[in-house]
Amino acid sequence: MVCGGYVCTKNALCALNILYILVSLLLVGVAGWGKWFDLVSSIRVVAGVIGVGVFLFLVAFVGLCGALKHHQVLLFFYMMVLFIVFVGQFSVSCACLALNKDQQKLLLEVGWNKSEATQRDVERTLGCCGFSFVPINGSCAARCFDINPETCVTCSTTILQYAGEVLRFVGGIGLFFSFTEILGVWLAHRFRNIKDPRSNPGAFL
């Protein structure tokens, strides 16, 4: 049977969803590992990553079941959800690649002000203090602050050195997975309209 037939399309769709399941388990595992070893103390960040992993696992599981059983309803639901995810992820990926320095700094400052736990994680990991200025009379988790606060640099200075590269990396990964998602939509749509050669030739399952 040539590729593009029932078996080939089914196997491609199953392989794609197995890949998604592995990625989802990786996300959950990395989030749990980071929390267990106290690399990330922010519950919101950990919960967000785990939530994304669980959502991806459920979507992939639905797609895998739909592919294995050639189930029309599951495949349609999978196709619709994956298309919505594609639109959102493609938009965010393009935005990451298009942000200039000023927009990056504004976005980082908004995220910085939302969580004190994240601030402490960043200060401890990067060895910086504060976002726009070093809080001489305040507190900081960086080692330099305990030695001599005047030697500390602001976190905005440190983060912006790598923000462009990180955003380009995240945007590139996002674009890659967004195209795998549109591939999944196309495979699901095609598979729904292919007859199962083992069934009645004149009927669709």
Side-chain angles (χ1 to χ4, degrees):
M1 181 175 292
V2 295
C3 189
Y6 180 87
V7 175
C8 184
T9 305
K10 177 181 179 179
N11 290 339
L13 193 56
C14 289
L16 183 63
N17 285 288
I18 290 174
L19 173 63
Y20 286 158
I21 289 175
L22 293 177
V23 172
S24 68
L25 294 177
L26 179 64
L27 286 173
V28 174
V30 168
W33 177 78
K35 183 61 179 174
W36 179 265
F37 287 96
D38 201 28
L39 298 176
V40 180
S41 58
S42 175
I43 297 298
R44 292 182 180 180
V45 173
V46 174
V49 175
I50 292 178
V52 171
V54 171
F55 175 77
L56 180 60
F57 179 85
L58 292 176
V59 172
F61 183 75
V62 169
L64 186 60
C65 290
L68 292 174
K69 297 182 178 181
H70 199 203
H71 196 288
Q72 294 290 307
V73 176
L74 289 179
L75 287 172
F76 179 79
F77 176 77
Y78 169 78
M79 187 171 60
M80 291 295 101
V81 173
L82 206 60
F83 181 75
I84 294 172
V85 172
F86 161 76
V87 172
Q89 186 169 322
F90 183 80
S91 302
V92 172
S93 300
C94 290
C96 288
L97 295 173
L99 288 175
N100 57 38
K101 285 289 184 181
D102 292 335
Q103 292 170 330
Q104 291 174 16
K105 185 174 182 179
L106 179 62
L107 184 63
L108 289 170
E109 189 170 6
V110 171
W112 177 271
N113 293 328
K114 282 189 174 181
S115 173
E116 292 187 3
T118 302
Q119 294 176 17
R120 298 293 174 263
D121 289 337
V122 173
E123 289 174 344
R124 184 173 59 252
T125 303
L126 300 181
C128 57
C129 286
F131 187 80
S132 300
F133 61 90
V134 178
I136 301 297
N137 297 322
S139 61
C140 177
R143 292 183 179 179
C144 64
F145 191 81
D146 297 329
I147 300 172
N148 185 2
E150 295 182 356
T151 62
C152 297
V153 297
T154 61
C155 290
S156 62
T157 303
T158 305
I159 294 174
L160 286 173
Q161 292 178 357
Y162 307 100
E165 296 180 5
V166 171
L167 287 173
R168 284 192 293 271
F169 175 77
V170 171
I173 294 295
L175 282 178
F176 170 76
F177 276 101
S178 66
F179 285 118
T180 66
E181 289 158 5
I182 202 64
L183 173 64
V185 172
W186 178 78
L187 286 173
H189 177 267
R190 178 179 177 82
F191 190 57
R192 288 183 75 241
N193 293 282
I194 295 179
K195 297 176 183 178
D196 187 344
R198 297 168 300 178
S199 66
N200 184 354
F204 286 87
L205 288 183

